């Protein structure tokens, strides 16, 4: 659909056309920052997407090298990285650069693209003051109001027609997906007591850069408190759930995955039936969410393994009657639902495409440290 | 395409129709032995296949339980296991039972199905005498001539119209894919000297059954010689490549994957260019084969990680001039290319469907112990 | 010291003698239940202990087989398993049987041994009513008062001369070691409010038995909530710290190790200096405890890897000023400090031996999934 | 024994003294290059050695930082790294620097130390011409004749009194230990025909430096051909066994460990009994060698896990009658038997100390990716 308008109304019309006719219209897309892990995940998803055509992937370090050299799963993709300073015109530009880059280049991005989807933290928070508090300030605060948070389960109604989409943080995503049904049900609110969120994440969160702490000999087999307190994703959770949570993140031995265990102490007693009602109400119609809570077999609760490589999120819960605690488990693939998949999902919604387009992969079993 | 003939000619016609019309015809399929790992992998692939409809999956132990209880990646599949003694009529029956079961039930299978694809060892070897030597004899030797070996890279020409397809062994598949181009090029033959095949495999090869040796505390981090000599897959390699190989299999710490390192000592010197010519000649047109040999980046040779979850095979090679050795590396996912994916690929060829139908998943990066 | 009295006074005298003379006196010991993981760990520690001589290891399933067949690290040990119904007389009997066995055999044990050290849950809790609530009742409640909890950091003063020693649970041990200094300092008490303990454990906790959930393909790479609520170790924590905690245990991909992250919300603000004072006061003189809290390098907080194979415990902490939270990290090897090492440590104290005797191994670096 | 002569005769006398008297004499030692993995392993072994006192550990990058900051298992060691240009006088200097450093500093080393033990490749090969062929030439070829290869199982008779000891390469060590009994028995010789050595190693072989290929997301779960041909350890094997071998090294998912599978085709048939006789003859009196070959239980052949953290080597074998192949398995911990432990063992022999002094640790069970 290169050159055409990408407003939601147009997109919806195109969607209708697509069903009526056999020809499928496509949006040209580019990925800025394609050698990183989330950049590679974007390329994987976009390359398999029926409505997106990848016309450019940039990399300063791998300029002119094949995408498959960095991402062996993409060896069949006929594409070479190009210079990030030489952006092509596209319908949708996805940016997967380190934090701080997009806020400096967003004007440039809009010069070449109708829709910008940013996977960094640069447009995630709604107010400039939050960047002053949690990051190093913001270079383009005038865009913050325009940006829409990518997570459709939270923000679907504001995504159609959005032209600046801000992908959520992986740990924040896992937490928000776990707790939102409790907030919606009134079980949890800003006045409730402490909410402890204990997160376990895989090594892909550390990015492709390497470093001693992420070398295989040091990183294997760890249960390592890497963000005991003060993790920046707290800001997102507070901004979008209206809750201050006690947040601690541990590195564990897997590559993909984020698992949030949320310990909640509601003011009023809740029953297991209440919980089922709340979570079913929130997620029964969501194409990517599953409630996994008890039952038989080996996989009785959410596990990152079960959703590795997919855009699915699993949530589950148990009641601890003795201390009136609700324990909520939430598991995602940090690379997919927690980053690139969420971005594609949001773009699908923004452009009026089928929500699951390009995100149909359902995962593997058995799978090791995914 | 339930009820229609399934001969290759018909199938090809259907394939042509499928392109001309928007309606897609489907073959009904069943999976006998659905709780095992290869059964689950079959269900994953068939459920995502545009031309197959899964109408039955059987399990004696999990009768009436959901498929998703055994295979968490299939939680969205609306299917329950049923009694293996009560088989439904289907176009294609896939059997993923332990060795020895299919040879006893093959008449039954053909009572309910036009095409039978067996993933066990029961029809892999061409002669009954080989079962006497390597297994415990054969209960239905009259079917051996009718059976076609599933690996299309080896046996494509005999698959169209085949109604009994015998899936190859995973370690044999990795070896055959690695060595076949050398055999075709005349570099390697029955008179060459020793061929050493040193295989490394993941824990999924041991099946879903468990046992002390495959428990996580004992199986983690191993380099364990589990078949020092006498592995049954030697028989297949000899049968289909015409070579006797020195074969040793090690368990290593991954879940999916088989990697065969083949050490070959040709009688006549070969050059790197000869090798490239031979491997390109063998695999340039193969939709699932890749030659990965040297080059830059992290992934310079075949690795099981790079093909995990996919039907791809990677092969690569190096020359050791000092001792005139050719080292060939071959990597597959034992569950997919080495079993269920190979079976679906063969069924696609047998039925005249596009070869890659249902097998498009290209893998993940990064991915841990896949 | 076979045949001699084993009271604390005697033992202390022997200890003094041992230093004065070159001859080392030894206590004969046996291990009941020697094929399990904790039984094997006991045998490892006892075999290297300067004051213990292992005269018997029993196993019903491996009767008459060498110890090294079950535990390859003990191949040099010249010992075969014998029938558990035929116990030899020893100074100290260690029992590493499944829960429920020792409570039925304790009279027998005392028939053949002066001192009994039990590693199961059978004598851990101080009151029979707690067994009614958390287990299936108790067969020998008259022994409960006699039993001393093994953890020297908690109960050192009562161990000298004890003749029935009850090893703590691994997860309870990690938690108690993490929280006790806060309790001692008055930062934490029964009235304090919620204490969330989020535990991550390795696969050796599941024992040598195997089973589908602990098979390598299913257990690799997990973050699996295996005890969302109601874990029995809560009972111990409550009994010995006087606190009810919100306790959740996750299986993660390591073999050895238990890591407890304790989220505490003190009524009164505490400073980092207060915490250092409290933890130093509690552990500065403890031979096996280390405070690891911030600092540089890769290993800034407690990690199970850092103490794998050792009897060390690491504790560390951070303050989260925003919500007045104290986060405490505690890491042990569940097999050693959490079980067999703790038992040997307690026996050392009970018998008046040097506390670190037989427990000097300091661990490895680098080490993977230990 | 600081200040005393360190010749073998003296050392033997001291050894005798040590048994006669209670006082233990000690040798002062230093480790040059203490932040690397083998440097840390040396420090671990030397710190626990009854006859060695570590007086210095050097590091340019971590100058003045505690040893425990780099090696968390050594947190109790009261030692800080110092400047490598400021070497203290010691009895024994161990050098664990990258290849190429020691050959340039060996004069300096002998200025401050009576005995030098080098763990790099700098003095492993007996002739300068081999350094020209396999490395970048040699800066101090006059020392090559003086150097003794450290592996006592190969070179014990030349070690007493040696003052320059050259530690073997880990992969060469595994291979030499596996094949030497066959060479000694005349089963294998330079005329024998092809010997294929297929090695699998852990990530600690790559050192502490990191880099993209050894980052956890890329290195996890691999079976990666990292030295398809031309590995430098071939030179050592040829030099010390008199054999040219076909050598290929794979990275697999463990941290510690090297496993060599040697495929040998003897000219004359050998029996299993011949093999037992040969291996028993070679290793029955060796304190660190074990023959593990068949038998029952989970651990039937050599495995790196079984010897992780120890100075043990395991060897085993099987016969493949069909093609007259002998398969030999050899497993070591590359950090210990393959490097630092071998060095300490050699120093023990050189100084007349008990061979197993400081090397008593027997390993753990269960243990994951050690």
């Amino acid at each position: 659909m290169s050159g055409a308008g990408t407003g939601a109304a147009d997109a919806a019309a195109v969607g209708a056309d697509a069903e009526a006719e056999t020809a499928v219209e496509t949006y040209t897309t580019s990925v800025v920052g394609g050698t990183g892990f989330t950049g590679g995940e974007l390329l994987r998803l976009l390359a398999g997407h029926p409505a997106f055509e990848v016309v450019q992937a940039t990399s300063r370090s791998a300029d002119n090298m094949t995408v498959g050299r960095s991402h062996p799963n993409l060896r069949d993709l006929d594409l070479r990285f190009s210079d990030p300073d030489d952006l092509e015109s596209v319908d949708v530009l996805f940016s997967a650069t380190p934090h701080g880059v997009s806020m400096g280049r967003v004007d440039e991005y809009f010069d070449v693209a109708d829709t910008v989807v940013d996977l960094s933290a640069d447009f995630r928070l709604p107010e400039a003051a939050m960047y002053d508090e949690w990051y190093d300030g913001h270079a383009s605060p005038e865009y913050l109001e325009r940006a829409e948070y990518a997570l459709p389960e939270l923000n679907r109604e504001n995504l159609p027609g959005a032209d600046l989409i801000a992908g959520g943080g992986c740990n924040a995503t896992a937490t928000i997906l776990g707790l939102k049904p409790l907030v919606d049900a009134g079980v949890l609110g800003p006045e409730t007591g402490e909410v402890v969120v204990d997160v376990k994440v895989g090594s892909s969160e550390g990015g492709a850069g390497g470093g001693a702490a992420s070398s295989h000999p040091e990183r294997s087999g760890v249960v390592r408190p890497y963000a005991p307190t003060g993790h920046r994703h707290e800001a997102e959770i507070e901004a979008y759930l209206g809750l201050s949570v006690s947040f601690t993140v541990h590195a564990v031995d897997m590559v993909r995955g984020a698992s949030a265990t949320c310990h909640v102490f509601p003011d009023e007693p809740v029953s297991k039936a209440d919980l089922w009602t709340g979570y079913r109400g929130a997620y029964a119609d969501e194409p990517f969410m599953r409630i996994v809570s008890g039952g038989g077999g080996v996989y009785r609760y959410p596990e990152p393994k079960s959703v590795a490589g997919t855009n699915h999120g699993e949530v589950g819960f148990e009641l601890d009657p003795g201390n009136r605690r609700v324990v909520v488990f939430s598991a995602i693939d940090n690379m997919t639902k927690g980053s690139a998949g969420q971005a594609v999902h949001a773009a699908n919604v923004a452009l009026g495409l089928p929500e699951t387009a390009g995100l149909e992969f359902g995962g593997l079993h058995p799978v090791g440290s995914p």
Side-chain angles (χ1 to χ4, degrees), chain A:
Chain A
M1 218 192 78
S2 193
T6 54
D10 293 307
V14 168
D17 283 355
E19 288 180 8
E21 305 175 14
T22 52
V24 178
E25 309 214 29
T26 59
Y27 295 79
T28 56
T29 67
S30 60
V31 173
V32 178
T35 44
F37 288 159
T38 51
E41 188 76 346
L42 269 173
L43 287 165
R44 170 176 83 86
L45 297 173
L46 297 175
H49 196 291
F52 289 135
E53 179 196 0
V54 181
V55 298
Q56 182 178 29
T58 77
S59 167
R60 212 169 291 277
S61 63
D63 188 13
N64 209 34
M65 293 178 183
T66 64
V67 166
R69 186 183 187 273
S70 293
H71 308 295
N73 59 329
L74 301 180
R75 280 186 170 124
D76 293 342
L77 193 64
D78 184 20
L79 187 67
R80 286 179 180 270
F81 290 116
S82 59
D83 185 338
D85 294 329
D86 192 15
L87 298 180
E88 297 185 28
S89 286
V90 290
D91 295 321
V92 189
L93 180 152
F94 290 85
S95 178
T97 53
H99 301 323
V101 173
S102 291
M103 61 173 71
R105 298 193 67 186
V106 60
D107 285 332
E108 265 182 89
Y109 288 172
F110 277 113
D111 286 345
V112 300
D114 295 312
T115 303
V116 171
V117 185
D118 182 56
L119 276 67
S120 80
D122 285 8
F123 301 98
R124 276 178 198 165
L125 299 178
E127 292 168 27
M130 302 180 80
Y131 283 90
D132 295 334
E133 181 184 353
W134 291 91
Y135 293 86
D136 299 325
H138 202 288
S140 306
E142 67 276 17
Y143 281 94
L144 291 176
E145 196 176 351
R146 182 170 169 184
E148 289 295 339
Y149 196 64
L151 194 64
E153 288 84 358
L154 187 84
N155 196 34
R156 181 178 279 104
E157 67 275 21
N158 296 314
L159 287 169
D163 68 352
L164 177 57
I165 297 171
C170 46
N171 301 324
T173 296
T175 305
I176 289 171
L177 290 172
L179 292 180
K180 184 179 177 292
L182 294 184
V183 173
D184 289 353
V187 171
L188 180 60
E191 306 303 314
T192 313
E194 305 304 345
V195 178
V196 171
V197 180
D198 194 294
V199 180
K200 297 88 182 165
V201 300
S203 60
S204 60
E205 279 208 4
S214 67
S215 75
H216 184 271
E218 306 289 23
R219 182 62 175 72
S220 290
V222 298
V223 179
R224 176 172 296 168
Y226 93 84
T229 62
H231 192 287
R232 289 165 165 181
H233 289 187
E234 285 182 44
E236 261 169 280
I237 298 166
E238 181 154 10
Y240 296 108
L241 284 188
L243 292 175
S244 173
V245 299
S246 290
F247 200 72
T248 296
V249 183
H250 305 77
V252 299
D253 197 347
M254 60 183 175
V255 171
R256 286 171 175 250
S259 170
T261 301
C262 309
H263 308 264
V264 176
F265 301 89
D267 291 326
E268 300 298 319
V270 292
S271 68
K272 203 76 177 288
D274 293 338
L275 294 173
W276 276 106
T277 301
Y279 279 88
R280 281 196 179 120
Y283 293 140
D285 295 333
E286 284 293 342
F288 293 111
M289 296 303 298
R290 285 182 194 142
I291 306 172
V292 181
S293 201
V298 170
Y299 296 86
R300 304 181 181 204
Y301 294 98
E303 289 198 35
K305 277 177 61 138
S306 300
V307 294
T310 81
N311 199 48
H312 286 285
E314 290 187 347
V315 294
F317 41 81
E318 280 298 340
L319 264 187
D320 192 358
N323 46 22
R324 229 164 60 184
R325 179 176 53 134
V326 178
V327 197
V328 177
F329 302 102
S330 175
I332 60 171
D333 183 325
N334 60 305
M335 302 281 298
T336 319
K337 183 68 178 172
S339 183
Q342 177 184 148
V344 171
H345 186 188
N348 286 344
V349 177
L351 301 170
L353 298 166
E355 288 207 13
T356 61
L359 300 169
E360 294 88 353
F361 179 61
L364 301 170
H365 176 249
V367 67
S369 168

